[in-house]
Amino acid sequence: MNSYKQSLYSALIRVMANLLMVGAVFLAMYQAARGASSEITFCLWFFGITVPLWASAFYLNRVIKRRFPAEQESLIDLPRQGRCLVRWRVLESSGRPGLLSR
């Protein structure tokens, strides 16, 4: 169930960030049309909105991954690193000890 929640919330964050990006383009274009130097005004408004927007989206995705780890993931305490999200992978046994299966 956690994998479903993780993918659902991550998708919602991406969709909302992209919708806000479209709004940022329109707002930056509107402000550029009102100002004297349109390129500089557009860049200031556009990057002033999008850089914090995507930084917060990446941060929220990290929080979602820690809050709802997938089936192969878990939070463990590592020495000198604190709590870290790790992905576990179990290899199938080949039936013969000492040989790796391909």
Side-chain angles (χ1 to χ4, degrees):
M1 187 64 172
N2 282 344
S3 294
Y4 174 74
K5 286 182 182 180
Q6 181 185 25
S7 62
L8 176 69
Y9 293 150
S10 293
L12 287 175
I13 289 170
R14 283 193 306 270
V15 167
M16 290 302 298
N18 284 318
L19 287 175
L20 290 172
M21 281 285 295
V22 171
V25 168
F26 285 122
L27 181 64
M29 288 173 66
Y30 175 73
Q31 293 295 333
R34 292 181 58 209
S37 59
S38 60
E39 270 185 46
I40 294 172
T41 306
F42 178 81
C43 288
L44 286 175
W45 277 91
F46 180 72
F47 290 114
I49 294 171
T50 57
V51 170
L53 174 72
W54 284 107
S56 62
F58 286 127
Y59 175 74
L60 284 175
N61 270 333
R62 180 178 285 173
V63 169
I64 292 298
K65 284 184 179 182
R66 286 185 179 268
R67 176 95 170 126
F68 302 107
E71 285 98 16
Q72 307 90 3
E73 298 173 343
S74 61
L75 286 171
I76 62 169
D77 289 320
L78 293 175
R80 295 185 302 265
Q81 290 183 4
R83 292 184 64 84
C84 292
L85 186 66
V86 295
R87 180 174 289 256
W88 299 98
R89 187 175 65 153
V90 178
L91 297 175
E92 294 181 26
S93 64
S94 64
R96 287 187 256 165
L99 294 176
L100 296 176
S101 63
R102 290 185 184 229

